[in-house]
Amino acid sequence: MNKIQAKQILPYFLALICFYALTLIYFQEELINGKSLPQTDVMQFQGMSKNSVDYHKEHGESALWNDGMFSGLPDYLIATGIPDGPMSFIVLATRGFMDGDTSAQLLFVSFLSFYLLLLCFRVNPYLAIVGALAFGLNSYNIVNIEAGHITKTWAIAYSAIVLGGMHLLFRKKYLWGFALTTIGLTLQLRPPHYQITYYLIFVCAIFTISELIFALREKRLNEFVKTGSILLLAVVLGGATATCRIWITKEYTEYSIRGKAELTPLEGQTQGGEGLDKEYAFSWSQGKMETFTFLVPYLYGGGSTEKLKEGTEMYDKLVSMAGKERTNQLIKNNSIYMPYYHGDQPFTSGPLYAGAIICFLFVFALMILDNRSRYWMLGGVLLMMMVAWGKNLQFFNYFLFDFFPGYNKFRSVSMALSLALMLMPLAGMLAVQKILFEEVDKELWKKGITALAITGGLSLAFMIFGGMMDFSNSRDAGFAGQMVGDNPQLIKEITQAMEADRESLMRMDALRSLILILLAWVVLYFVYKKQLSSSLGVLVVGVLIVGDLWWVDKRYLYDAKFMKNPTRQIHQKTAADEAILKDKSHYRVLNFAGNTFTEANTSYYHKSIGGYFAAKMRRYQDLIERVLVPEQQKFYSSLQQNREITSLSELPVLKSPSQLPALNMLNAKYFKLGNDAKSVLVNTQTMGNAWFVESLKTVNSPDEEIAALAQFNPAQEAIMDVSQFEAGTQQFAKDSTASIELSDYSNRRLVYTTQNQNAGLAVFSEIYYPKGWSASIDGNPVDIKRVNYVLRALEIPAGNHEIVFEFNPTSYEVGSTITLITSYLVFLTLVGVIALATYRSFTGKKQESLKEASSV
């Protein structure tokens, strides 16, 4: 390798070194000291996926059906692995060959993906390092990592590669553009996190429309059609690799809470159609002014659990109440957090901070970049802001919710700003590229002064006039009450202290942003005046940007948050768990000790009636709201009314299957009331795995069906909605020797043996799902019917029989094959483009050498 080649390759090696080094420094507690983040979403995922992970280890295939939560549901969106051949290697490479379970790889992939985007836009490779670090270290990315939003972080990062590939296509770099767009889309769809994909489509649409407008103006329509055709082919090929994921997601969505509602809404509910409840979907809507946290991170208090800082009003107040030593100990042990956030959202882990310098550079870029570049980027940023405002911009967002296909399946619209946080540093680096590496005249530089006036002026305005803002929060009194009890005076003093801190922190951050913007402007000015080299300018601006973001990021993800083996601590097996696990039969557990239907820790060891999942099955959610929660309350009421009994098993609600009919039909054999062994209550009225009933009660609608569950005896009758299923015999002769036993169980295959002198209707404590499940009696296929709103039932002829349920959904079987084949095509496309580029580079240099030799 000659010196020229080494010099050309050097910045790319340096980029990788920087990415690894910054990742290692930030995550040294994880990568060096062996600690991990107790990420809330990851801990929940470990609980919800444990059942499926164990199945995969034992059987070597995906479980597809998860019996660990909500009495059973499709595992499609939880832990279903889809074979995609060589794409696994590509994914591993983009994550720096780091273990997929580490948080560090999330930061690395963010750096690398954005670096590729900037290279596609022909940004200087050294400057591109700065841009990549700016993107990777924006506070939203760090907060997502801290919370364990893994698939979201991946989807955001890989979106950058898609945009890079599109840009190359529109600049007539067809081979590389096609390859990167295809591979980028393949990676972006792989996690999957389709809400980010949806927002990416918006941005790509604006990009494409912009290119079409300029093509029409410049009479390049034929060129646009050619580019558009190649882009469409890349989208089809890249999208085809997600066939299985999209297919199973679409299939399941229809039956999830994001699908069509079947019941008349309860009082206070607004949802009666398809998709999420509108109020729920827009609950995480960002306030319009809150968007300025891009510039001043503490503008709205930062996060809902801010670390208490020494020297604040709240610190002094706690010192006066508990003493300095005690207060410092609470801070050291991370035992106290301040709800400083006072924006429109219910709560937030931290602000969306792009970086003060990035904001300045973005405004500068809008003034100096060519129209073809700046208009679509500005349009993308503004659109993502409007989407993130949600219910605070109802005419726009409610229109999208009501009329755009699939839009009503998403919530937490504030995450749309993740795409704005991608476009801003992209535009900013293009502006720096122009300033540092191109000739800049005086008129152009004046626009830099305007950008300084706008962003610096805003920072100054917040610093001076920010006190006019409302720093109160409706939840402040409740927080104060938890600290001091029912003491109105102390509650008032604490809330006033928090409001004073919010104002003080905001002013300090505004001043800090102003100083950073001034420093960046001064550096660029010296480069413009030729008093500072471009390379040194890149270095200084880079240090300022990284230092700024690093400082803010450490407010939310710092070393003390890492801990040794958080999985073992959070999912520690209790004495109650040990007592229940002695039972080797197939049963379910209802955990009364926690938030039954919003926690997945129970599922780590048991098959749970509850669980945690943002896309529960619609009918099971209906059952929770209208039947299971009232039955829980009935159980608690029985506890309160019968305190004199010496044994919980004597509770009246445990004397008959009809007292808690839904819990009994779901095979809730154990009630976990606490963590010690004595807190485990055996429910002797559970119906077990399957049973014969004496009668079938018919109703004419879902409303009637679920209403009938409130008072019925599951041991004697079943309830069927004849508007959806055809009822056969409705009365059955049930002899005393009739039995049905579960002889073999796994997630995808259940085998029962029956003995009955008469034909009967068997009810199974398994959730009915119409796609993928098949049933046979002695090898002969039979139709599965739904009874009791959520359960399976079969009509079984007289005699001894073997019943087999199997779960082999076509969507997975066929979809995974298509995914595997197209993944190989995408991989071969990338390899082919790399090989061709290498060949052209080699032959081109060889020809130049021959020309030089012949001229001598």
Side-chain angles (χ1 to χ4, degrees), residues 501-520:
D501 284 343
R502 287 167 181 155
E503 180 179 350
S504 175
L505 291 171
M506 183 275 293
R507 289 182 188 275
M508 287 190 292
D509 256 6
L511 175 60
R512 179 178 163 281
S513 292
L514 174 60
I515 293 171
L516 286 166
I517 291 169
L518 286 170
L519 289 174

Side-chain angles (χ1 to χ4, degrees), residues 396-569:
F396 177 73
N397 287 299
Y398 284 6
F399 173 81
L400 295 180
F401 187 88
D402 292 333
F403 296 104
F404 270 51
Y407 197 86
N408 59 7
K409 305 294 191 291
F410 305 127
R411 67 186 187 100
S412 301
V413 293
S414 60
M415 72 174 70
L417 291 173
S418 61
L419 273 298
L421 289 168
M422 179 178 297
L423 296 176
M424 290 177 67
L426 169 60
M429 291 306 106
L430 290 173
V432 176
Q433 167 99 357
K434 193 174 187 69
I435 298 165
L436 297 185
F437 301 105
E438 298 178 19
E439 288 297 324
V440 178
D441 58 31
K442 187 175 181 180
E443 291 301 314
L444 196 66
W445 180 250
K446 286 181 179 178
K447 295 177 181 179
I449 300 175
T450 304
L452 169 66
I454 293 173
T455 53
L458 276 172
S459 300
L460 183 62
F462 285 129
M463 185 178 68
I464 297 175
F465 303 109
M468 299 170 65
M469 294 174 60
D470 180 8
F471 294 96
S472 65
N473 190 308
S474 59
R475 294 177 290 274
D476 287 350
F479 170 78
Q482 292 176 0
M483 296 181 67
V484 299
D486 188 19
N487 187 321
Q489 182 59 35
L490 283 178
I491 289 175
K492 181 180 179 181
E493 292 176 7
I494 288 175
T495 55
Q496 288 177 342
M498 285 195 293
E499 291 176 19
D501 284 343
R502 287 167 181 155
E503 180 179 350
S504 175
L505 291 171
M506 183 275 293
R507 289 182 188 275
M508 287 190 292
D509 256 6
L511 175 60
R512 179 178 163 281
S513 292
L514 174 60
I515 293 171
L516 286 166
I517 291 169
L518 286 170
L519 289 174
W521 182 86
V522 168
V523 172
L524 295 179
Y525 177 77
F526 280 124
V527 174
Y528 161 68
K529 286 294 188 178
K530 309 296 184 184
Q531 296 178 4
L532 194 68
S533 68
S534 296
S535 57
L536 189 56
V538 169
L539 179 62
V540 176
V541 170
V543 170
L544 289 173
I545 290 174
V546 172
D548 168 28
L549 293 168
W550 193 284
W551 184 277
V552 173
D553 291 343
K554 284 295 183 177
R555 298 173 182 174
Y556 307 101
L557 179 52
Y558 42 87
D559 291 350
K561 286 203 170 185
F562 292 83
M563 58 191 295
K564 283 285 187 182
N565 203 340
T567 299
R568 179 181 297 174
Q569 296 184 45

Side-chain angles (χ1 to χ4, degrees), residues 176-187:
W176 275 111
F178 178 79
L180 282 179
T181 303
T182 305
I183 198 75
L185 187 58
T186 299
L187 294 171

